[in-house]
Amino acid sequence: MDVVGHEELPPRMRAAVLLAMGRPTEEIGPEIGVSGRTVRRWRARPEMRADIRRVRLRLLDSAVGSVRAGASG
């Protein structure tokens, strides 16, 4: 999943992307149209924690790829 264009994702997945990027829960809720409390409840679920972990890994992979591309050029 690309982070660019995440606005088209369902709210829970958008929350996972934003949480993986380090955004505060209180900012995420209003941005995606739910309460901060809802985002906190989602974040507590094992499946959401797994989604956040997957997004972080994708972001890390992308960053490493960018660094490698810059180093070889």
PDB file of all heavy atoms in Angstrom, residues 52-71:
ATOM      1  N   ILE A  52      -0.861  -1.660  11.617  1.00  0.00           N
ATOM      2  CA  ILE A  52       0.102  -0.583  11.859  1.00  0.00           C
ATOM      3  C   ILE A  52       1.521  -1.100  11.646  1.00  0.00           C
ATOM      4  O   ILE A  52       2.349  -0.442  11.014  1.00  0.00           O
ATOM      5  CB  ILE A  52      -0.071   0.006  13.278  1.00  0.00           C
ATOM      6  CG1 ILE A  52      -1.434   0.722  13.388  1.00  0.00           C
ATOM      7  CG2 ILE A  52       1.072   0.961  13.615  1.00  0.00           C
ATOM      8  CD1 ILE A  52      -1.846   1.048  14.804  1.00  0.00           C
ATOM      9  N   ARG A  53       1.798  -2.293  12.148  1.00  0.00           N
ATOM     10  CA  ARG A  53       3.124  -2.908  11.978  1.00  0.00           C
ATOM     11  C   ARG A  53       3.443  -3.104  10.501  1.00  0.00           C
ATOM     12  O   ARG A  53       4.556  -2.806  10.044  1.00  0.00           O
ATOM     13  CB  ARG A  53       3.154  -4.249  12.713  1.00  0.00           C
ATOM     14  CG  ARG A  53       4.384  -4.480  13.509  1.00  0.00           C
ATOM     15  CD  ARG A  53       4.419  -5.752  14.321  1.00  0.00           C
ATOM     16  NE  ARG A  53       3.256  -6.621  14.350  1.00  0.00           N
ATOM     17  CZ  ARG A  53       2.318  -6.629  15.318  1.00  0.00           C
ATOM     18  NH1 ARG A  53       2.403  -5.797  16.330  1.00  0.00           N
ATOM     19  NH2 ARG A  53       1.306  -7.453  15.257  1.00  0.00           N
ATOM     20  N   ARG A  54       2.456  -3.598   9.732  1.00  0.00           N
ATOM     21  CA  ARG A  54       2.672  -3.811   8.294  1.00  0.00           C
ATOM     22  C   ARG A  54       2.945  -2.492   7.577  1.00  0.00           C
ATOM     23  O   ARG A  54       3.828  -2.410   6.718  1.00  0.00           O
ATOM     24  CB  ARG A  54       1.460  -4.501   7.667  1.00  0.00           C
ATOM     25  CG  ARG A  54       1.468  -6.003   7.831  1.00  0.00           C
ATOM     26  CD  ARG A  54       0.423  -6.670   6.970  1.00  0.00           C
ATOM     27  NE  ARG A  54      -0.938  -6.344   7.382  1.00  0.00           N
ATOM     28  CZ  ARG A  54      -1.599  -6.984   8.344  1.00  0.00           C
ATOM     29  NH1 ARG A  54      -1.038  -7.976   8.988  1.00  0.00           N
ATOM     30  NH2 ARG A  54      -2.833  -6.635   8.661  1.00  0.00           N
ATOM     31  N   VAL A  55       2.191  -1.450   7.926  1.00  0.00           N
ATOM     32  CA  VAL A  55       2.407  -0.147   7.293  1.00  0.00           C
ATOM     33  C   VAL A  55       3.797   0.374   7.633  1.00  0.00           C
ATOM     34  O   VAL A  55       4.513   0.874   6.757  1.00  0.00           O
ATOM     35  CB  VAL A  55       1.316   0.864   7.722  1.00  0.00           C
ATOM     36  CG1 VAL A  55       1.658   2.267   7.237  1.00  0.00           C
ATOM     37  CG2 VAL A  55      -0.049   0.444   7.201  1.00  0.00           C
ATOM     38  N   ARG A  56       4.208   0.250   8.891  1.00  0.00           N
ATOM     39  CA  ARG A  56       5.551   0.710   9.286  1.00  0.00           C
ATOM     40  C   ARG A  56       6.634  -0.019   8.507  1.00  0.00           C
ATOM     41  O   ARG A  56       7.619   0.594   8.081  1.00  0.00           O
ATOM     42  CB  ARG A  56       5.757   0.516  10.787  1.00  0.00           C
ATOM     43  CG  ARG A  56       5.055   1.551  11.621  1.00  0.00           C
ATOM     44  CD  ARG A  56       5.336   1.363  13.090  1.00  0.00           C
ATOM     45  NE  ARG A  56       4.666   2.412  13.849  1.00  0.00           N
ATOM     46  CZ  ARG A  56       4.174   2.251  15.057  1.00  0.00           C
ATOM     47  NH1 ARG A  56       4.297   1.089  15.680  1.00  0.00           N
ATOM     48  NH2 ARG A  56       3.574   3.244  15.667  1.00  0.00           N
ATOM     49  N   LEU A  57       6.463  -1.317   8.342  1.00  0.00           N
ATOM     50  CA  LEU A  57       7.444  -2.080   7.564  1.00  0.00           C
ATOM     51  C   LEU A  57       7.501  -1.616   6.120  1.00  0.00           C
ATOM     52  O   LEU A  57       8.578  -1.508   5.524  1.00  0.00           O
ATOM     53  CB  LEU A  57       7.139  -3.574   7.641  1.00  0.00           C
ATOM     54  CG  LEU A  57       7.458  -4.225   8.986  1.00  0.00           C
ATOM     55  CD1 LEU A  57       6.938  -5.664   9.015  1.00  0.00           C
ATOM     56  CD2 LEU A  57       8.944  -4.179   9.267  1.00  0.00           C
ATOM     57  N   ARG A  58       6.326  -1.331   5.543  1.00  0.00           N
ATOM     58  CA  ARG A  58       6.295  -0.830   4.159  1.00  0.00           C
ATOM     59  C   ARG A  58       6.984   0.528   4.063  1.00  0.00           C
ATOM     60  O   ARG A  58       7.727   0.794   3.108  1.00  0.00           O
ATOM     61  CB  ARG A  58       4.852  -0.705   3.640  1.00  0.00           C
ATOM     62  CG  ARG A  58       4.050  -1.986   3.586  1.00  0.00           C
ATOM     63  CD  ARG A  58       4.379  -2.915   2.436  1.00  0.00           C
ATOM     64  NE  ARG A  58       4.291  -2.398   1.107  1.00  0.00           N
ATOM     65  CZ  ARG A  58       3.267  -2.539   0.287  1.00  0.00           C
ATOM     66  NH1 ARG A  58       2.183  -3.176   0.670  1.00  0.00           N
ATOM     67  NH2 ARG A  58       3.311  -2.065  -0.935  1.00  0.00           N
ATOM     68  N   LEU A  59       6.726   1.394   5.047  1.00  0.00           N
ATOM     69  CA  LEU A  59       7.372   2.701   5.054  1.00  0.00           C
ATOM     70  C   LEU A  59       8.886   2.552   5.184  1.00  0.00           C
ATOM     71  O   LEU A  59       9.647   3.230   4.493  1.00  0.00           O
ATOM     72  CB  LEU A  59       6.831   3.564   6.204  1.00  0.00           C
ATOM     73  CG  LEU A  59       5.395   4.047   6.056  1.00  0.00           C
ATOM     74  CD1 LEU A  59       4.909   4.663   7.364  1.00  0.00           C
ATOM     75  CD2 LEU A  59       5.272   5.051   4.923  1.00  0.00           C
ATOM     76  N   LEU A  60       9.324   1.659   6.059  1.00  0.00           N
ATOM     77  CA  LEU A  60      10.751   1.420   6.245  1.00  0.00           C
ATOM     78  C   LEU A  60      11.375   0.854   4.977  1.00  0.00           C
ATOM     79  O   LEU A  60      12.442   1.309   4.547  1.00  0.00           O
ATOM     80  CB  LEU A  60      10.978   0.473   7.418  1.00  0.00           C
ATOM     81  CG  LEU A  60      12.427   0.154   7.762  1.00  0.00           C
ATOM     82  CD1 LEU A  60      13.200   1.416   8.096  1.00  0.00           C
ATOM     83  CD2 LEU A  60      12.489  -0.838   8.907  1.00  0.00           C
ATOM     84  N   ASP A  61      10.723  -0.117   4.364  1.00  0.00           N
ATOM     85  CA  ASP A  61      11.229  -0.684   3.111  1.00  0.00           C
ATOM     86  C   ASP A  61      11.373   0.393   2.042  1.00  0.00           C
ATOM     87  O   ASP A  61      12.360   0.427   1.307  1.00  0.00           O
ATOM     88  CB  ASP A  61      10.311  -1.789   2.598  1.00  0.00           C
ATOM     89  CG  ASP A  61      10.433  -3.076   3.380  1.00  0.00           C
ATOM     90  OD1 ASP A  61      11.404  -3.227   4.151  1.00  0.00           O
ATOM     91  OD2 ASP A  61       9.539  -3.936   3.233  1.00  0.00           O
ATOM     92  N   SER A  62      10.387   1.254   1.968  1.00  0.00           N
ATOM     93  CA  SER A  62      10.415   2.334   0.984  1.00  0.00           C
ATOM     94  C   SER A  62      11.568   3.299   1.264  1.00  0.00           C
ATOM     95  O   SER A  62      12.284   3.714   0.348  1.00  0.00           O
ATOM     96  CB  SER A  62       9.078   3.077   1.004  1.00  0.00           C
ATOM     97  OG  SER A  62       9.099   4.148   0.112  1.00  0.00           O
ATOM     98  N   ALA A  63      11.764   3.636   2.536  1.00  0.00           N
ATOM     99  CA  ALA A  63      12.855   4.546   2.901  1.00  0.00           C
ATOM    100  C   ALA A  63      14.211   3.930   2.589  1.00  0.00           C
ATOM    101  O   ALA A  63      15.105   4.593   2.053  1.00  0.00           O
ATOM    102  CB  ALA A  63      12.759   4.910   4.380  1.00  0.00           C
ATOM    103  N   VAL A  64      14.374   2.658   2.917  1.00  0.00           N
ATOM    104  CA  VAL A  64      15.645   1.972   2.635  1.00  0.00           C
ATOM    105  C   VAL A  64      15.888   1.922   1.126  1.00  0.00           C
ATOM    106  O   VAL A  64      17.002   2.164   0.660  1.00  0.00           O
ATOM    107  CB  VAL A  64      15.653   0.558   3.255  1.00  0.00           C
ATOM    108  CG1 VAL A  64      16.826  -0.259   2.739  1.00  0.00           C
ATOM    109  CG2 VAL A  64      15.680   0.653   4.772  1.00  0.00           C
ATOM    110  N   GLY A  65      14.837   1.649   0.365  1.00  0.00           N
ATOM    111  CA  GLY A  65      14.970   1.632  -1.089  1.00  0.00           C
ATOM    112  C   GLY A  65      15.389   2.985  -1.635  1.00  0.00           C
ATOM    113  O   GLY A  65      16.223   3.058  -2.543  1.00  0.00           O
ATOM    114  N   SER A  66      14.841   4.051  -1.073  1.00  0.00           N
ATOM    115  CA  SER A  66      15.206   5.391  -1.508  1.00  0.00           C
ATOM    116  C   SER A  66      16.666   5.698  -1.195  1.00  0.00           C
ATOM    117  O   SER A  66      17.385   6.297  -2.012  1.00  0.00           O
ATOM    118  CB  SER A  66      14.304   6.435  -0.835  1.00  0.00           C
ATOM    119  OG  SER A  66      12.997   6.298  -1.267  1.00  0.00           O
ATOM    120  N   VAL A  67      17.114   5.305  -0.020  1.00  0.00           N
ATOM    121  CA  VAL A  67      18.506   5.542   0.370  1.00  0.00           C
ATOM    122  C   VAL A  67      19.436   4.757  -0.541  1.00  0.00           C
ATOM    123  O   VAL A  67      20.444   5.281  -1.015  1.00  0.00           O
ATOM    124  CB  VAL A  67      18.729   5.159   1.855  1.00  0.00           C
ATOM    125  CG1 VAL A  67      20.215   5.137   2.203  1.00  0.00           C
ATOM    126  CG2 VAL A  67      17.985   6.128   2.768  1.00  0.00           C
ATOM    127  N   ARG A  68      19.088   3.512  -0.806  1.00  0.00           N
ATOM    128  CA  ARG A  68      19.934   2.699  -1.691  1.00  0.00           C
ATOM    129  C   ARG A  68      19.988   3.286  -3.091  1.00  0.00           C
ATOM    130  O   ARG A  68      21.040   3.307  -3.727  1.00  0.00           O
ATOM    131  CB  ARG A  68      19.394   1.266  -1.762  1.00  0.00           C
ATOM    132  CG  ARG A  68      19.719   0.473  -0.540  1.00  0.00           C
ATOM    133  CD  ARG A  68      19.262  -0.951  -0.687  1.00  0.00           C
ATOM    134  NE  ARG A  68      19.579  -1.701   0.519  1.00  0.00           N
ATOM    135  CZ  ARG A  68      18.928  -2.770   0.904  1.00  0.00           C
ATOM    136  NH1 ARG A  68      17.919  -3.238   0.193  1.00  0.00           N
ATOM    137  NH2 ARG A  68      19.280  -3.393   2.006  1.00  0.00           N
ATOM    138  N   ALA A  69      18.848   3.740  -3.587  1.00  0.00           N
ATOM    139  CA  ALA A  69      18.819   4.331  -4.929  1.00  0.00           C
ATOM    140  C   ALA A  69      19.669   5.593  -4.986  1.00  0.00           C
ATOM    141  O   ALA A  69      20.381   5.826  -5.958  1.00  0.00           O
ATOM    142  CB  ALA A  69      17.379   4.635  -5.349  1.00  0.00           C
ATOM    143  N   GLY A  70      19.620   6.398  -3.920  1.00  0.00           N
ATOM    144  CA  GLY A  70      20.423   7.607  -3.871  1.00  0.00           C
ATOM    145  C   GLY A  70      21.905   7.319  -3.751  1.00  0.00           C
ATOM    146  O   GLY A  70      22.738   8.025  -4.308  1.00  0.00           O
ATOM    147  N   ALA A  71      22.246   6.242  -3.050  1.00  0.00           N
ATOM    148  CA  ALA A  71      23.653   5.890  -2.854  1.00  0.00           C
ATOM    149  C   ALA A  71      24.290   5.331  -4.125  1.00  0.00           C
ATOM    150  O   ALA A  71      25.477   5.475  -4.350  1.00  0.00           O
ATOM    151  CB  ALA A  71      23.787   4.874  -1.729  1.00  0.00           C
TER     152      ALA A  71
END
